[in-house]
Amino acid sequence: MEQHSQHFKENAARALADASAVAQRDILALFTPLMREAAVSEFGDFAALRDHVKKMRQHTLDNLDYYLARFELEATNNGNRIHYAETAEDMNSIVLDICQQHGARKVAKGKSMVTEETGLNDFLQRGGMEVLETDLGEYIVQQAGETPSHIVGPALHKTQQQIREQFLENHDLGERDLESIGDLVGEARTVLRDHFLEADVGIIGSNALIAENGYSMLVTNEGNGDLCANLPSVLIICTTLDRVLPRAEDATAIQRLLVRSATGQPQTCYTSFYSGPRRAQDADGPLETHIVLLDGQRTDILASDYSEMLRCIRCGSCLNHCPIFAATGGHSYGWVYPGPMGSVLTPLLTSLEASEALPNACTSCGRCEEVCPSAIPLPDMLRDLRHEQSVQKITPASWRNGLRLHAWIATRPRLYQALTGIGISLMHRLGGKKGGFSKLPLASGWTSKRDFPAPQGETFMRQYRRRSQSNER
Amino acid sequence: MSESINPRVSLFVTCLADLMRPSVAFASIRLLEQAGCIVDVPLQQTCCGQPGYNSGEYEATIPIARQTIELFEHAEYVVAPSGSCAGMICHHYPKLLDGEWRERALALAEKTFELTSFLVDVVKLESAPAVSTDLPPITYHDSCAGLREMGVKDQPRQLLKTLCDVEINEMQQSDVCCGFGGTFCAKMPDISEKMVDDKLRNAGNSGATLLTGGDLGCLLNIAGRARRQGLELEVRHVAEILSGDLYSPAIGEGD
Ligand code: SF4
């Protein structure tokens, strides 16, 4: 996918200028945390499960080769064909090859952020395939020629009215009102139904690959994933190799965390396990199944200081709790993954330069880490990325030098106190009467939006030293 | 008070209280003394190093961390009127440093506290000279680091109840960031503006005319924006209110 992260600040300013979109995001930012909170508090010992899953994920990642080999063995025994893709391009070519080998023309696709990452849809379309997204949110976004704004709810940026107008314009279905959400869903279902039946290949993602039995788990609310997986004669599961887990019960443990964190539901409508192609005794199912495992720099991340990021289960909770995501919306981040997890992943999967603003789009408020079901230290990672930006001199020199000068002075207490003593008294003399400054040299970032409150008077240190001296006398 | 001997507290003033609002440090000393502590203020202290650290200037911050450790490690307790500075010492110095320095950082972390949690959880301050009971309607902003790194949530509310007999007009999203974030507010002013405006709207909707909190960074941001917008909202650090200091000008108010 094309990257626009370089323009994060401009994107954000534009997003903030759209009052109705801001209002819609404000509502989501208020309610999605409440929904999660309700589900989590009903669950019982969520913290214990979170801790267990964190350890289980970390253990798996620490022994990834072993579990991948086991998964490959079991999945192959079940009749799946396993493909390893080093890069995004490799994944796209493998998928197109499979489609072409079957003379396919139509592809039905379930929701998959990995294929957003690789730009699979465009690639297949250029290869002559007709590709239709079948998750409602993805369908809406694809039809609008947009990209997902949220990893769980791709079309959360759209209002009901916008979707209604889009459907009336795009679906040639005659006179109709489409007044209710039910009408909209019904219409999408009608349009998509034919496509499911006509599709030659189905493509879905995976929430977990289970090493002990070679199954792939998919968690959805619409059941479209199951139609993609079961109706076309060929199924391709596109995912990354870090999705593997040891046991079936580990996958269900993830599922319990994932769903509550993502939507605040106790359970999604569908949780499916795909074992492989149709067997002789099965009534239906695909005749051929492929699992394409993308590395896409995951092994690099695994070997880096950011390996914990691979524990992410893509629940979107960090997005829902991030006040910066709420302010800017997902599109401002300019690539596939927005919000705190995106601000860590995007620099790792693209480049630190192209994503310069993202690690800085953080106040270290810690809300993301607090709710992350995988207990990923997102604020620490974002700060570490800022450190790398400074080391690589991607951070503007003025910032680096200013902060280093501050630190240099702060380790010279006498100098520090002499300078601040003079400076603060001067500022008080200039601004104390009024109480603040509307402009201040060297603080234009601050004063562009707020006044700079005037210091109260002399520094504490000056006052305190004077008091202690007069007490001694 | 739990112990019969008076606890000895070294005050970590914090650079913002030192420079911008000394009344916060004086109020902290009064409160600690009311709780029976013997307070000293190490004179060589400057800043905990957050500005550089949060911007990823780790190498430049290491000498600051070491200086703070050397200055405070012999204290019985270290108390700061700021959740984020206490959090910096307790959680980030150990991440920043290695080897022997890391051990020393961990030892310092053991005895370092944010002011209101120290008063409630450690020395159990339950009464103090009566302070003004005719406070205006008041709301509390939960600063992020205090809340999530230092577990400060009920303590300031409890102190406001027991010492000043006030109930908080809780605002919606009191635990959501105000948009300060240190250098963040200068690097991304548009986003920061939206966040602080949300905070001001929520504070206004609570019916409060006085906003308080435990971290001067946030309070300067909130007060600065309120002033820019011409809003009638008084902003004061919670230590000032608890110690009855309501007469000096509020943050951003003229002399
Ligand atoms: S980083 Fe954590 S909260 Fe964010 S999507 Fe991943 S698992 Fe969910």
Side-chain angles (χ1 to χ4, degrees), chain A residues 151 309 312-318 341 372-374 376 378:
Chain A
I151 60 172
M309 195 59 219
C312 174
I313 56 174
R314 306 291 191 265
C315 72
S317 194
C318 58
M341 56 82 81
C372 173
S374 312
I376 299 171
L378 295 156

Side-chain angles (χ1 to χ4, degrees), chain A residues 199-211:
Chain A
D200 309 298
V201 173
I203 297 178
I204 59 170
S206 171
N207 293 98
L209 304 170
I210 302 165

Side-chain angles (χ1 to χ4, degrees), chain B residues 61-78:
Chain B
T61 311
I62 288 172
I64 304 187
R66 289 184 180 169
Q67 166 180 289
T68 308
I69 292 169
E70 278 176 331
L71 199 57
F72 283 91
E73 65 188 338
H74 301 296
E76 185 181 341
Y77 292 107
V78 178

Side-chain angles (χ1 to χ4, degrees), chain B residues 154-172:
Chain B
D154 295 334
Q155 301 92 333
R157 290 170 171 80
Q158 191 180 319
L159 288 169
L160 284 163
K161 174 90 191 123
T162 47
L163 303 192
C164 309
D165 196 28
V166 286
E167 290 287 349
I168 299 295
N169 285 24
E170 292 293 349
M171 66 173 128
Q172 221 171 32

Side-chain angles (χ1 to χ4, degrees), chain A residues 397-415:
Chain A
S398 56
W399 276 107
R400 280 185 281 126
N401 295 337
L403 290 163
R404 286 176 196 176
L405 179 65
H406 170 265
W408 189 85
I409 298 173
T411 45
R412 284 154 184 82
R414 282 179 57 176
L415 175 66

